[in-house]
Amino acid sequence: MAANWEKVENNQGVLTVEVDASEVDAALDQAFKKVVQKVQVPGFRKGKVPRKMFEARFGVESLYQDALDILLPTAYGQAVKEAGIEPVDRPEVDVAQMEQGKNLIFKATVTVKPEVKLGDYKNLSIEEKDFSVTEESVDAELKRMQERHAELVAVEEGAAQNGDLAVIDFEGFQDGVAFEGGKAEDYSLELGSGTFIAGFEEQVVGLNVGEEKDITVTFPEEYHSPNLAGKEAVFKVKLTSLKRKNLPVLDDEFAKDVSEFDTLEELKADTKKKLEEKSAQDKDQYVREQLVLKAAENAEIDLPEVMVEHELDQMVNEFGQRLQYQGMTLELYFQFSGMDESQLRDQLRADATSRVRTSLTLEAIGKAENIEATEEDVNEELNKLAGVYGRPADELRKIFSAQDGMAALYRDVQTRKTVDFLVAESKVSA
């Protein structure tokens, strides 16, 4: 096999591949064995039609596509290695020659990982940020603790308020006609959360349990459904039940109930200590992130759009998984946020672009500084993960290996070591 790589423009090029005729004929043999099992010819059982009769009746050309399906993946993979390129997307393949007894020739238009021209990445300085723990931040944390241990109490009498958990039945109508996706029963909605279309939750406030109300809202102009975008709709809503947080008193009894301490002052001191530990971690993370961003800003990269799109695919998937943990689907989120997937992707695009730029920059710095993840580094990482997940390191290694995850683990460790290098070479301390 022979391969020739020719860069055309930016990060695209053409990989011309020639596969020996003997391999083509072998693939045609494989294709025939597969296809003949499905062919019916009078006088022959399935799979027993002679090759010459098959070709006389159907033509050898009928085997070409199956033979290509056999040849192309392996030939392309070998050609990529031979050319020393790193594709970032599926190639566009054009078969120039496919014929029995002749070499296969195909051209693959490929988008490859871009070259990174590094700028300054040593002795970097970043904007300082205050991570000190104040009395106000301690009080705010105690308030959050109080909220977490609040008891949800059913409200039998009285109107719904912001902060209440309202359970509602609703159905949406536009011009008197119910629209798809606008109906739900026993839906739990925290009033004031901003989950629903603007103006909806505010009109639930004031309802009593069992009370029904027609709520009028206007869908955003950019709403994903053109039938509803910019239009007024009426939701018939019934408040079926209501729960309200009953906050515990912040006193010594509260400290005993939620911690190992006997007094509120002891709980407060421990809370401050934990906040200071977290503050140190937050500062470390901030310094690391800012240094990476600074190095990426200083680098010159002609970023292929397809890499950003792949990153967006991953981010949308991650967002959907987070919604599932909260009991919501992407479809329902789009329904009540007024967005569609294309608008969500636009919203995430800047972050996706930054992710790809920083990843490429760190990879380039790692190569420039000969930073590698050693077997010892990876074993140390596996031991840390073993402590986190409570499973033996050897078991985790088997899991990573079975799922082809060891390469990703090596990359993660190498990336962390590269960021460690940036911190060590910077003008700030984490």
Side-chain angles (χ1 to χ4, degrees), residues 1-4 16-20 23 75 79 97 103-106:
M1 190 200 76
N4 178 61
T16 303
V17 185
E18 189 165 353
V19 181
D20 192 78
E23 292 186 47
Q97 178 174 288
N103 290 354
L104 164 66
I105 301 174
F106 69 89

Side-chain angles (χ1 to χ4, degrees), residues 9 21 60 78 107 152 176 198 203 245 298 357 405 421:
E9 59 179 357
V60 70
Q78 290 176 349
K107 295 177 182 290
L152 279 174
Q203 296 179 69
K245 291 178 181 178
N298 293 341
R357 281 187 62 87
F421 171 83

Side-chain angles (χ1 to χ4, degrees), residues 305-318 341 344-353 356:
E305 184 59 29
V306 67
M307 293 188 74
V308 177
E309 292 299 324
H310 288 334
E311 189 65 31
L312 281 169
D313 291 341
Q314 178 66 25
M315 293 177 74
V316 170
N317 184 51
E318 291 170 357
E341 184 170 336
L344 175 62
R345 291 173 77 91
D346 287 342
Q347 194 176 82
L348 298 173
R349 190 170 297 278
D351 284 343
T353 302
V356 178

Side-chain angles (χ1 to χ4, degrees), residues 15 21 23 46 50 67 73 89 92 124 142 145 148 159 183 189 213 230 236 298 318 357 377 380 406:
L15 185 62
E23 292 186 47
K46 276 189 177 180
D89 196 20
E92 293 182 14
L124 297 176
L142 288 172
M145 196 180 298
R148 287 196 299 272
K183 183 178 181 179
L189 172 65
K213 182 179 181 179
K236 293 186 177 296
N298 293 341
E318 291 170 357
R357 281 187 62 87
D377 294 329
E380 184 180 338
M406 287 305 296

Side-chain angles (χ1 to χ4, degrees), residues 170-174 177-184 219 223-225 227-228 235 331-332 335-336:
F170 62 85
E171 185 171 13
F173 297 83
Q174 203 271 314
V177 179
F179 55 84
E180 187 178 354
K183 183 178 181 179
F219 284 90
Y223 196 67
H224 62 85
S225 172
N227 295 330
L228 297 172
F235 283 88
E331 290 73 19
L332 197 58
Q335 185 71 35
F336 292 108

Side-chain angles (χ1 to χ4, degrees), residues 191-214:
L191 300 180
S193 64
T195 306
F196 273 31
I197 296 166
F200 186 98
E201 295 171 31
E202 292 85 343
Q203 296 179 69
V204 176
V205 171
L207 287 182
N208 294 292
V209 174
E211 190 174 353
E212 299 181 20
K213 182 179 181 179
D214 287 354

Side-chain angles (χ1 to χ4, degrees), residues 36-270:
V36 75
Q37 301 299 323
K38 305 174 185 177
V39 172
Q40 287 185 326
V41 175
F44 294 92
R45 286 179 294 142
K46 276 189 177 180
K48 299 300 181 181
V49 180
R51 175 75 173 269
K52 287 185 178 180
M53 180 174 288
F54 174 89
E55 291 185 6
R57 188 179 181 94
F58 301 104
V60 70
E61 295 81 7
S62 63
L63 300 174
Y64 284 176
Q65 186 56 56
D66 287 290
L68 284 171
D69 291 343
I70 294 167
L71 286 167
L72 287 177
T74 302
Y76 174 71
Q78 290 176 349
V80 164
K81 288 182 180 178
E82 187 175 317
I85 58 175
E86 294 185 75
V88 294
D89 196 20
R90 293 171 63 92
E92 293 182 14
V93 177
D94 177 37
V95 178
Q97 178 174 288
M98 174 63 184
E99 190 174 341
Q100 188 176 31
K102 293 185 178 181
N103 290 354
L104 164 66
I105 301 174
F106 69 89
K107 295 177 182 290
T109 302
V110 187
T111 302
V112 296
K113 187 178 287 188
E115 296 178 7
V116 178
K117 185 178 179 181
L118 290 171
D120 292 336
Y121 58 88
K122 297 180 181 180
N123 298 315
L124 297 176
S125 58
I126 60 174
E127 184 178 343
E128 291 188 9
K129 186 176 178 180
D130 184 13
F131 285 90
S132 59
V133 175
T134 63
E135 287 300 315
E136 289 76 12
S137 56
V138 174
D139 290 341
E141 182 59 28
L142 288 172
K143 178 68 175 174
R144 285 190 286 271
M145 196 180 298
Q146 187 184 29
E147 291 275 353
R148 287 196 299 272
H149 289 86
E151 181 184 6
L152 279 174
V153 179
V155 178
E156 302 295 342
E157 296 182 359
Q161 304 173 6
N162 273 331
D164 288 349
L165 187 68
V167 180
I168 58 175
D169 296 339
F170 62 85
E171 185 171 13
F173 297 83
Q174 203 271 314
D175 290 335
V177 179
F179 55 84
E180 187 178 354
K183 183 178 181 179
E185 294 181 354
D186 293 329
Y187 188 90
S188 295
L189 172 65
E190 183 180 346
L191 300 180
S193 64
T195 306
F196 273 31
I197 296 166
F200 186 98
E201 295 171 31
E202 292 85 343
Q203 296 179 69
V204 176
V205 171
L207 287 182
N208 294 292
V209 174
E211 190 174 353
E212 299 181 20
K213 182 179 181 179
D214 287 354
I215 290 178
T216 302
V217 296
T218 300
F219 284 90
E221 291 290 343
E222 66 278 7
Y223 196 67
H224 62 85
S225 172
N227 295 330
L228 297 172
K231 295 180 180 178
E232 191 176 88
V234 175
F235 283 88
K236 293 186 177 296
V237 178
K238 180 179 180 180
L239 180 61
T240 61
S241 66
L242 190 66
K243 292 183 179 180
R244 186 168 296 156
K245 291 178 181 178
N246 184 22
L247 295 176
V249 178
L250 283 175
D251 56 13
D252 291 345
E253 288 303 315
F254 174 79
K256 291 176 184 177
D257 289 340
V258 304
S259 71
E260 70 273 26
F261 302 108
D262 293 326
T263 67
L264 183 62
E265 283 305 311
E266 289 175 306
L267 175 61
K268 194 171 183 178
D270 182 70

